[in-house]
Amino acid sequence: MAGGVVVYRMVPGEPDLTITALMVVFLTACVWLARNQPVAGPVFTLVLAFLAGFGLPVLHAKLSGTEMISFPGVAEISGTVTGLRDTRGDRQVLFLTLKAGQAARWLEDVRVVRLSVRDFPPVAIGSELTVRARLFEVPGPVAPGGYDPQFFDYFAGIGAYASALDPPVVNGPSPGIFQVLEAVRGSLKEKIDRQLPGNTGAVARALIIGDTTGISEADRGKMAVAGLAHVLAISGLHLSIVAGFVFAIVRFGLAATPFGDRMPVKSVAAVAALATAVAYLSISGASIATIRSTIMLSMILGAVIFGRQAFTLRNVAFAGIAIMLLAPTEVLKPGFQLSFAAVIALVGCYESLSERRFDHPRGGWARVWRYGAGLALTSVIAGIATAPFAAYFFQQFAPLGLVANLLAVPVVGFLVLPAGLLAVMAAPLSLEAPFLAVMGFGIDLILAVAEWISSLTGNLARVPEMSAIWLGGVVVGLAWFAFLRHPVRFAGPLASLLGFVAFAALPAPDVLISDSTKAVAVRTDDGLRLVRSNRTSFAV
């Protein structure tokens, strides 16, 4: 199914939705007729899945695509704020869904405008806004093979970028769930800023409400080089720790009561953990990465509620299909590929280990040793599985990431996130200060680890640009690993990783020209040298 989405991205034209739908119906009938055939059934099923993946972006293009402007201009625009992105300093980015009947006729078919506003009070989701703005085309990829805003923004309905020329006229939103959530997030932000100033508070805001705008570029770089960048984005790690903390508290708490042996304690604890995960998603800003992680965690907790095995590759597959049905183009983004590569590797290795019996030593120190060994193994497996994707998308590798994660992840799991959860729960009573202090202490430890590991790493974090063909080989290796249960399953990822390391590096370009020609660089003996550029441009 994911392969179908990838092939859709590669074809030069837009497929016909009617023909694609008819082919899906035909293949569905073939699958039904061949359901008892040992060869034809699986073959038709795989072809149907591929075609469904190929057709999903076509369907989403019809449902949420938009007209995109092809020339810049100035116009008065009005609409409803349906999304926002906090940015650094005095700038906020709003996503404005335009009203029908715009004064500028050339904007009639544009659904959403990405509007940048400076020196203006924060605007809430749901507000009605009118502003005179300079509009310009959605930019393409800066460099060949780079991130393509035109492609992804089209599916998000964004047809133009804009900058406000005058202060906007805003009518506040009517009360609703989004306004309540924004008020809660704003209140938490104020409490965090009051208790934890500087970089510590910026990281705390990122971990609690998903606002990463205050984190300095220096800290971001150090965290990435140390292999700790995943700590800054609310993902499966954070949701699992918070939901797991609630699961453990509820489960052991109920088990200690007289009613513990008369009720399904484990299922009740899973329901509480699921509710906590949804609440965390709500106050974190509900980014696509957090939604993706919540879906995956919901699959696991749902299995626990109904007494099924939680950690299976079938559950991973269900989560992937659910995400592709909701937003098929997520398959092409680094976040989807990194998270599913890690989860497939971890769950597959967990399945292999669970089939073997080990004699575990007992005692307190033995438990500590097992936790450390499990954490080390988890970091190694996830690091190996995601390294090719990080190298391809970011030209970056964290050679000392294992050391950094062994030092930092226990702090996140035992100190930072539990303290953050307790701070959020205590915030309505204004009792959050001691919990935020504990959280800040843990964050300072993590930043110190990132500082130390990044200083040891030096220039070893940089890797050359890698080939997409060999990254596809890594995906094939992961599929081999996921579909087989015999120990031969490890041969697939091992072969693909060796091939990626040996052959994936592309030759360095002699000349780089940005999409708008605002930056041109020529390779010399000591690296790239800018020969024509506007040094303030994003391309540089």
Side-chain angles (χ1 to χ4, degrees):
M1 198 168 180
V5 178
V6 173
V7 171
Y8 166 84
R9 181 70 177 97
M10 296 168 62
V11 296
E14 183 71 3
D16 184 270
L17 179 59
T18 304
I19 294 175
T20 307
L22 289 174
M23 292 176 67
V24 169
V25 172
F26 172 75
L27 276 166
T28 303
C30 292
V31 169
W32 174 256
L33 294 173
R35 63 188 183 280
N36 296 322
Q37 301 298 317
V39 176
V43 169
F44 279 128
T45 301
L46 288 174
V47 175
L48 173 61
F50 174 85
L51 192 62
F54 183 80
L56 276 173
V58 185
L59 176 61
H60 278 256
K62 295 293 184 184
L63 295 175
S64 57
T66 182
E67 187 74 20
M68 304 182 93
I69 67 172
S70 56
F71 56 89
V74 174
E76 181 176 275
I77 56 177
S78 60
T80 304
V81 178
T82 51
L84 55 87
R85 181 180 302 161
D86 296 327
T87 50
R88 295 174 186 80
D90 57 356
R91 179 171 173 261
Q92 55 185 318
V93 175
L94 312 174
F95 295 92
L96 191 68
T97 299
L98 299 184
K99 292 180 178 179
Q102 294 291 312
R105 300 294 297 273
W106 51 286
L107 296 175
E108 281 184 350
D109 296 323
V110 175
R111 289 185 56 236
V112 182
V113 170
R114 183 183 185 271
L115 175 67
S116 175
V117 180
R118 292 185 179 275
D119 300 320
F120 195 78
V123 179
I125 291 178
S127 301
E128 299 293 325
L129 184 147
T130 301
V131 67
R132 192 173 70 94
R134 177 182 291 110
L135 296 104
F136 49 95
E137 311 96 304
V138 177
V142 173
Y147 180 81
D148 188 353
Q150 288 180 348
F151 178 80
F152 293 107
D153 285 356
Y154 174 81
F155 286 94
I158 301 171
Y161 284 18
S163 297
L165 297 175
D166 301 321
V169 177
V170 179
N171 293 320
S174 56
I177 183 63
F178 290 112
Q179 286 67 51
V180 172
L181 290 175
E182 285 302 313
V184 171
R185 297 180 76 235
S187 175
L188 290 173
K189 183 176 185 295
E190 290 178 5
K191 292 177 183 294
I192 294 169
D193 290 343
R194 186 164 57 246
Q195 182 70 26
L196 300 174
N199 289 336
T200 304
V203 175
R205 290 198 303 274
L207 297 179
I208 293 178
I209 61 174
D211 178 10
T212 62
T213 57
I215 302 174
S216 67
E217 289 298 329
D219 282 339
R220 288 174 188 269
K222 291 171 185 175
M223 295 286 281
V225 171
L228 296 175
H230 63 93
V231 172
L232 299 177
I234 297 174
S235 62
L237 170 70
H238 307 72
L239 286 162
S240 300
I241 290 173
V242 171
F245 180 75
V246 172
F247 180 87
I249 294 296
V250 173
R251 185 179 183 186
F252 290 124
L254 289 176
T257 67
F259 310 102
D261 57 349
R262 282 180 272 172
M263 61 188 305
V265 170
K266 192 174 181 181
S267 296
V268 173
V271 171
L274 182 58
T276 303
V278 173
Y280 195 3
L281 171 70
S282 301
I283 67 168
S284 69
S287 69
I288 290 295
T290 313
I291 294 172
R292 181 174 59 242
S293 300
T294 305
I295 290 174
M296 296 181 70
L297 185 63
S298 299
M299 295 285 183
I300 294 171
L301 292 173
V304 174
I305 292 170
F306 293 104
R308 304 296 294 272
Q309 188 176 352
F311 295 101
T312 67
L313 283 169
R314 183 172 285 109
N315 288 344
V316 177
F318 283 139
I321 291 170
I323 292 166
M324 282 185 274
L325 290 174
L326 293 172
T329 56
E330 285 298 305
V331 170
L332 304 168
K333 292 185 179 180
F336 181 97
Q337 297 181 30
L338 285 162
S339 62
F340 273 93
V343 172
I344 288 169
L346 288 168
V347 175
C349 289
Y350 169 81
E351 286 182 343
S352 296
L353 290 173
S354 65
E355 295 169 355
R356 292 164 173 76
R357 293 187 176 275
F358 298 96
D359 294 326
H360 297 295
R362 300 183 180 277
W365 286 110
R367 291 193 183 95
V368 173
W369 183 89
R370 284 203 302 273
Y371 173 78
L375 180 60
L377 184 62
T378 299
S379 297
V380 169
I381 293 170
I384 291 173
T386 56
F389 298 91
Y392 174 79
F393 285 107
F394 310 117
Q395 290 81 57
Q396 198 167 55
F397 174 62
L400 299 179
L402 171 60
V403 179
N405 279 276
L406 284 174
L407 295 173
V409 171
V411 178
V412 175
F414 286 113
L415 203 63
V416 173
L417 289 178
L421 174 62
L422 294 173
V424 172
M425 295 172 65
L429 302 176
S430 298
L431 299 175
E432 73 284 344
F435 302 111
L436 285 177
V438 174
M439 186 182 189
F441 173 74
I443 290 172
D444 289 339
L445 290 178
I446 295 169
L447 292 175
V449 169
E451 173 83 31
W452 179 53
I453 295 297
S454 63
S455 66
L456 295 177
T457 302
N459 294 324
L460 296 175
R462 302 298 299 174
V463 297
E465 189 175 352
M466 297 295 189
S467 166
I469 295 176
W470 279 99
L471 186 70
V474 172
V475 174
V476 171
L478 272 172
W480 174 287
F481 175 79
F483 274 85
L484 299 179
R485 297 298 294 266
H486 190 272
V488 75
R489 70 190 304 181
F490 290 95
L494 178 62
S496 63
L497 282 172
L498 291 175
F500 186 83
V501 171
F503 304 110
L506 295 172
D510 296 315
V511 181
L512 275 178
I513 306 173
S514 71
D515 61 325
S516 60
T517 70
K518 288 185 178 180
V520 178
V522 174
R523 184 166 300 282
T524 62
D525 293 337
D526 58 349
L528 288 172
R529 185 178 301 278
L530 289 168
V531 294
R532 178 191 174 197
S533 67
N534 172 7
R535 290 184 178 272
T536 62
S537 74
F538 174 74
V540 173

